[in-house]
Amino acid sequence: MKISELMSQNIALSAEECEAVDQYIPIKTFKKGTLLLKADQIANDSYFTIKGCVRLYYVVDGEDKTTHFFTEGDAIASMNSYINRVPANHYLECVEDCTLAVLNYEKEKILYKLFPRLESICRVSMEDDLGKHQEMLASHITKSPEQRYLKLLNERADLLQRVPQYHLASYLGVKPESLSRIRKRIQSRD
C-alpha cells in the first residue's frame, strides 16, 4: 500500500503529486510498545494511522495520564513540538502493532514547496482535527466520568477491546477500580 492510494480516496492527486507523496511519506510498521515520541524530545515526525492504535499520554507525579487514542484514519502529531521545534511534554506509544505513514518535518517542507496545494489540504485536515479535539476537551471537562464512559461506548466502543482497562480508566480520568464500578452500574441497568 502507498500513501498516495489512501489520499486519492478523498482528493484527486496528479501523477507528480502521487509520486512525491509516496517518496516523502513512507509507510512503516511499529511493534506494540514502541515509543514514537518521548517527553523532552523534539518531534521530527508526524503520522497517519493506517492500522493500529497509538496513545498520547503525560506522566504526572509518576502516573500516566492518557489524553487521546489515535486509530485508523487519524493523524498523529505533537503539534507544539513539531511546529515550534521545542521538546514535547508527553509521549506517543503504540498500544498495538501499528502501520503508520510517517511524515518527517524536513521532508514536509520540501513537499509543500514542490506542491503548495498539499499544504492547503493538510491545513484543512488540521482544522477539522482541532475542532474535534476542542469538542473532546469540552466533553471531558463538562461531563461526569460515567457520562464520559457512555460517550466512549457510543462513539469509540472498539477501544474497549483494543486498549488495556487501566489506559481507558486514565483516559476517562478515573482509577481502574472506579471504571469497574461504572461498568457494573451501567450493566446492571441493562
Side-chain angles (χ1 to χ4, degrees):
M1 161 132 344
K2 296 180 179 180
I3 192 64
S4 63
E5 294 170 11
L6 289 171
M7 290 177 71
S8 293
Q9 294 173 3
N10 298 314
I11 55 169
L13 295 175
S14 69
E16 296 82 16
E17 288 170 330
C18 284
E19 187 177 324
V21 163
D22 290 336
Q23 178 185 347
Y24 287 106
I25 310 175
I27 294 175
K28 297 181 180 181
T29 57
F30 299 89
K31 292 286 185 196
K32 176 181 177 177
T34 300
L35 286 175
L36 302 172
L37 179 69
K38 296 177 185 174
D40 297 324
Q41 288 182 332
I42 294 176
N44 290 313
D45 298 315
S46 61
Y47 307 89
F48 179 81
T49 313
I50 296 168
K51 184 175 185 287
C53 180
V54 174
R55 80 177 176 117
L56 186 156
Y57 69 96
Y58 296 79
V59 176
V60 180
D61 297 328
E63 190 176 332
D64 287 9
K65 303 286 185 178
T66 301
T67 59
H68 198 72
F69 294 104
F70 301 93
T71 55
E72 291 78 8
D74 289 338
I76 306 169
S78 176
M79 291 307 295
N80 187 48
S81 178
Y82 188 78
I83 292 170
N84 296 313
R85 314 308 300 146
V86 297
N89 59 355
H90 57 268
Y91 297 78
L92 292 171
E93 177 191 30
C94 296
V95 178
E96 300 173 329
D97 289 346
C98 293
T99 302
L100 308 171
V102 182
L103 180 57
N104 175 272
Y105 179 81
E106 298 299 328
K107 290 181 180 180
E108 179 181 24
K109 299 299 174 212
I110 295 168
L111 195 58
Y112 292 163
K113 192 171 189 173
L114 292 171
F115 301 99
R117 180 176 92 95
L118 294 178
E119 186 171 18
S120 296
I121 292 167
C122 284
R123 181 185 50 77
V124 168
S125 176
M126 284 183 11
E127 289 170 349
D128 184 51
D129 285 349
L130 177 61
K132 289 176 186 172
H133 285 283
Q134 284 179 327
E135 291 301 315
M136 184 180 69
L137 178 61
S139 175
H140 197 78
I141 291 170
T142 60
K143 296 192 181 310
S144 70
E146 187 168 317
Q147 290 170 320
R148 290 194 297 268
Y149 179 75
L150 289 168
K151 183 175 171 57
L152 182 70
L153 271 176
N154 289 330
E155 296 177 6
R156 307 225 32 214
D158 65 303
L159 290 177
L160 300 176
Q161 304 305 315
R162 300 173 75 171
V163 175
Q165 293 302 302
Y166 62 96
H167 288 327
L168 288 174
S170 170
Y171 175 68
L172 294 169
V174 299
K175 298 286 183 201
E177 312 81 63
S178 297
L179 177 56
S180 292
R181 285 192 294 273
I182 290 169
R183 293 176 73 181
K184 287 178 185 171
R185 224 176 9 254
I186 289 170
Q187 288 172 349
S188 70
R189 291 182 206 154
D190 294 338

